[in-house]
């Protein structure tokens, strides 16, 4: 019995070691994939432009190509992610994701009647996609002053089949940063890493003396520390990006964690004269943010005077 137990333990250990040798949580990979509904074969998503064209998708409205994902960060359905763990570059897979784990089961209670006045006049027809009080749905029917709207996801109740291929494991830091930003914001940006030496105020720790006043103010000293920094080149497209405008702090936090850095600085070039105005975006590890107005105030610079000087130079 003892030998059998030892054999079972050895087999389990070998399985764990084999699993650990493949791709694991935190790895960054490039995937090619196509996802279709199991019932009907409706195209859900693909990285292949030719596949999209065959299904009548307007390929001019979006870009196609391998997708960069971070395993373990819910960038793809968990069932697909689990199938990738332990595999190697070049491996392929086929996974069926149940409706409940894909876009949810179809819920009849999510089909509701609303006043048609809540729907923009141009969208008052069956099949129109509408947003009503923060919920997205599509119009089923309009009768009189009432509309029947289905707030289920269009693919609710559908099992989804994924065919994928692991094309590459991304290890280069800049390529990894660009891939993650591309995934988050759907745009390519120039990035680079740099170790900066900056000054910080740190609390001076001292042993308490018996006669020391407990209410005395804490003492600070200025020290130099190194900060591993990701610089991102700002573009007009970035400043107008909806995801960026609504969630830059959350994006910064994710990037600092995934890339193991101290802070992020978004750098904008103004006027083409080589003058960069960096705007630091708060991240992890005590990397606080500062907007342009605060920076100008700290430097004792009048923003209105700068604007007047620029306008005068242009004239």
């Amino acid at each position: 019995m003892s030998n059998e137990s030892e054999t079972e333990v050895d087999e389990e250990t070998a399985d764990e070691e084999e699993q650990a040798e493949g791709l694991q949580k935190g790895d960054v990979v490039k995937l090619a994939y196509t996802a279709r509904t199991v019932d009907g074969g409706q195209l859900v998503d693909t990285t292949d432009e030719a596949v999209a064209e065959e299904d009548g998708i307007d390929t001019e409205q979006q870009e196609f190509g391998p997708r960069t994902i971070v395993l373990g960060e819910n960038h793809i359905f968990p069932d697909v992610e689990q199938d990738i763990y332990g595999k190697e570059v070049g491996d392929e897979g086929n996974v069926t994701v149940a409706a409940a784990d894909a876009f949810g089961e179809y819920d009849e209670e999510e089909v509701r009647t609303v006043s048609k006045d809540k729907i923009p006049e141009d969208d008052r027809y069956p099949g129109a996609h509408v947003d009503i009080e923060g919920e997205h749905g599509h119009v089923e029917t309009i009768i009189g002053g009432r509309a029947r709207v289905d707030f289920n996801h269009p693919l609710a109740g559908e099992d989804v089949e994924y065919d994928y291929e692991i094309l590459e494991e991304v290890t280069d830091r800049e390529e990894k940063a660009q891939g993650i930003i591309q995934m988050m914001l759907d745009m390519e940006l120039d990035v680079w890493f740099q170790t900066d030496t900056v000054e910080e105020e740190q609390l001076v720790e001292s042993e308490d003396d018996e006669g020391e006043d407990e209410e005395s103010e804490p003492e600070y000293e200025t020290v130099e520390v190194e900060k591993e920094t990701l610089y991102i080149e700002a573009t007009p497209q970035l400043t107008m990006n909806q995801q960026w405008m609504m969630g830059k702090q959350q994006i910064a936090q994710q990037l600092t964690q995934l890339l193991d850095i101290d802070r992020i600085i978004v750098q904008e070039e103004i006027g083409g004269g080589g003058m960069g105005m960096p705007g630091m975006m708060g991240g992890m590890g005590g990397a606080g943010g500062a907007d342009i107005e605060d920076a100008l105030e700290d430097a004792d610079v009048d923003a209105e005077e700068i604007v007047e000087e620029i306008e005068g130079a242009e004239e």
Side-chain angles (χ1 to χ4, degrees):
M1 292 292 292
S2 176
N3 290 337
E4 290 181 1
S5 299
E6 290 178 359
T7 301
E8 291 176 359
V9 171
D10 290 341
E11 290 177 352
E12 291 176 0
T13 302
D15 289 341
E16 291 176 358
E17 290 177 351
E18 182 180 352
Q19 179 76 5
E21 289 177 357
L23 294 168
Q24 297 297 319
K25 181 177 179 179
D27 290 337
V28 181
V29 297
K30 285 187 177 182
L31 291 182
Y33 62 80
T34 293
R36 295 183 181 275
T37 59
V38 173
D39 184 12
Q42 178 184 348
L43 184 64
V44 176
D45 192 12
T46 185
T47 59
D48 191 330
E49 185 173 359
V51 171
E53 289 178 345
E54 289 176 2
D55 278 66
I57 304 298
D58 185 358
T59 57
E60 294 184 359
Q61 298 301 313
Q62 56 183 305
E63 294 185 1
F64 292 86
R67 302 284 169 81
T68 300
I69 69 166
V70 183
L71 296 176
E73 295 296 325
N74 298 318
H75 296 153
I76 198 167
F77 289 131
D79 287 348
V80 180
E81 201 168 58
Q82 287 295 326
D83 196 67
I84 293 174
Y85 287 143
K87 290 190 173 180
E88 305 284 351
V89 173
D91 287 347
E92 300 180 2
N94 176 274
V95 182
T96 297
V97 183
D101 298 321
F103 300 99
E105 298 285 7
Y106 191 83
D107 187 353
E108 293 288 352
E109 294 185 0
E110 289 300 309
V111 183
R112 303 193 294 271
T113 300
V114 301
S115 169
K116 77 171 186 180
D117 293 337
K118 292 185 177 182
I119 300 174
E121 190 171 347
D122 292 342
D123 294 328
R124 294 176 188 172
Y125 60 88
H129 288 268
V130 295
D131 291 297
I132 300 176
E133 297 178 352
E135 292 185 279
H136 185 77
H138 67 273
V139 179
E140 287 194 338
T141 59
I142 295 180
I143 301 176
R146 312 292 287 173
R148 191 78 169 159
V149 181
D150 186 349
F151 290 99
N152 283 288
H153 189 282
L155 293 170
E158 296 279 1
D159 296 339
V160 179
E161 183 178 21
Y162 263 82
D163 287 305
Y164 71 84
E165 180 181 1
I166 305 168
L167 301 179
E168 178 186 346
E169 180 180 1
V170 181
T171 56
D172 180 80
R173 296 185 74 197
E174 289 188 3
E175 186 179 356
K176 186 182 295 187
Q178 287 177 322
I180 295 172
I181 292 172
Q182 172 78 27
M183 176 194 57
M184 290 178 172
L185 303 176
D186 193 25
M187 62 170 53
E188 294 183 7
L189 297 171
D190 290 333
V191 303
W192 64 96
F193 289 90
Q194 186 171 305
T195 301
D196 298 327
T197 301
V198 299
E199 292 184 347
E200 280 191 354
E201 295 293 320
Q202 289 188 358
L203 179 66
V204 177
E205 296 183 1
S206 60
E207 296 182 0
D208 294 332
D209 297 326
E210 292 183 0
E212 186 176 351
D213 185 359
E214 295 182 357
E215 296 183 358
S216 61
E217 294 186 0
E219 182 181 350
Y220 291 87
E221 64 178 352
T222 302
V223 297
E224 290 188 345
V225 296
E226 289 188 344
K227 294 285 187 180
E228 186 68 10
T229 306
L230 171 66
Y231 282 86
I232 300 176
E233 186 75 27
T235 65
Q237 291 77 14
L238 176 63
T239 59
M240 297 300 294
N241 184 280
Q242 191 70 22
Q243 288 94 331
W244 177 255
M245 288 191 292
M246 299 298 293
K248 64 174 66 176
Q249 293 299 331
Q250 291 81 357
I251 293 171
Q253 185 173 7
Q254 285 184 311
L255 283 170
T256 52
Q257 290 175 329
L258 293 173
L259 298 170
D260 191 25
I261 55 177
D262 297 308
R263 62 180 187 168
I264 294 171
I265 292 181
V266 181
Q267 186 161 287
E268 180 181 11
E269 182 174 328
I270 299 178
M275 180 182 70
M277 183 171 289
M280 186 184 301
M281 183 172 59
M284 300 294 290
D291 57 25
I292 292 176
E293 289 80 6
D294 290 340
L296 291 174
E297 182 177 349
D298 292 341
D300 194 23
V301 177
D302 191 325
E304 293 183 359
E305 290 182 1
I306 292 178
V307 173
E308 290 175 359
E309 289 179 6
I310 293 175
E311 290 177 346
E314 290 178 348
E315 293 176 358

